[in-house]
Amino acid sequence: MPVVRIWRRTPDGGSAESAAGQASEWELEVRPRRAVRTAWIVAVLLAAFFIVGGILLRTGSTGVEFRLADQIAMIGIGLIAAAAVLLLTRPRLRAGARGVSVRNILGDNEFPWEYIRGVSFPDRKSWARLELVDDDYVPLLAIRSNDKRYAAAALDRLRELGAKYTAKPE
């Protein structure tokens, strides 16, 4: 089954005009809500903790001599950790006539409708998944259980679009 991997935002390299034209072809766009808020809070707290720790690193008398390079490294580690937490804000699901585009933490995958069997939300799982025809599935990190009604509405809308674009003409 072919999967189209998209590494750029737009097919032609990223012009703003084509991005605006491409956005109109998607009928559904879903992003997690609570997870994004939580990730931003954790990232800010993590960065603040390491920045304050890095600044105060030389003021204590622990018997170890810390230098400016150690302070900079401590702040850098905190900023890298905060950036890693912010990767959790990337998940997105888009659906339209072309199919379904799933962006999880790293990279995009686009699936045409003929390769999609359905969408499900397994018991005791944190996110939905896109069921593919070859008994495979793709996690949909954009539709999370802690978003409750928003997630249910997104699943309903995705199922409507699936029925619309996979219906066989009579």
Side-chain angles (χ1 to χ4, degrees):
M1 172 180 75
V3 173
V4 180
R5 294 208 181 271
I6 303 170
W7 298 104
R8 284 175 264 145
R9 298 279 174 153
T10 58
D12 63 350
S15 69
E17 294 82 22
S18 64
Q22 188 180 15
S24 64
E25 73 185 57
W26 301 111
E27 297 177 41
L28 172 67
E29 183 165 342
V30 180
R31 298 184 71 123
R33 290 184 175 180
R34 290 184 183 182
V36 169
R37 237 182 330 215
T38 304
W40 273 103
I41 291 169
V42 169
V44 167
L45 291 175
L46 198 59
F49 176 77
F50 275 89
I51 289 171
V52 169
I55 291 171
L56 299 177
L57 192 61
R58 290 173 65 175
T59 60
S61 59
T62 61
V64 179
E65 211 173 300
F66 291 104
R67 299 191 176 147
L68 180 63
D70 298 319
Q71 288 179 295
I72 293 171
M74 181 74 124
I75 292 169
I77 289 170
L79 294 177
I80 290 171
V85 168
L86 288 178
L87 284 175
L88 299 174
T89 65
R90 284 185 42 87
R92 177 185 67 197
L93 170 106
R94 295 186 303 182
R98 282 180 25 194
V100 177
S101 174
V102 178
R103 180 173 72 186
N104 286 330
I105 294 175
L106 298 173
D108 287 353
N109 291 321
E110 189 172 313
F111 302 95
W113 286 111
E114 59 264 14
Y115 296 114
I116 298 171
R117 191 174 70 200
V119 63
S120 66
F121 214 116
D123 288 340
R124 288 181 252 145
K125 297 294 180 188
S126 296
W127 46 77
R129 62 188 196 181
L130 192 65
E131 304 285 344
L132 304 176
V133 294
D134 60 353
D135 291 332
D136 200 6
Y137 69 90
V138 176
L140 299 177
L141 299 181
I143 303 177
R144 302 184 60 92
S145 63
N146 62 356
D147 284 334
K148 298 182 183 9
R149 289 189 180 154
Y150 176 73
L155 276 178
D156 289 342
R157 180 68 178 132
L158 184 58
R159 287 181 179 131
E160 287 173 13
L161 289 174
K164 174 181 173 183
Y165 291 115
T166 58
K168 297 185 183 190
E170 295 180 18

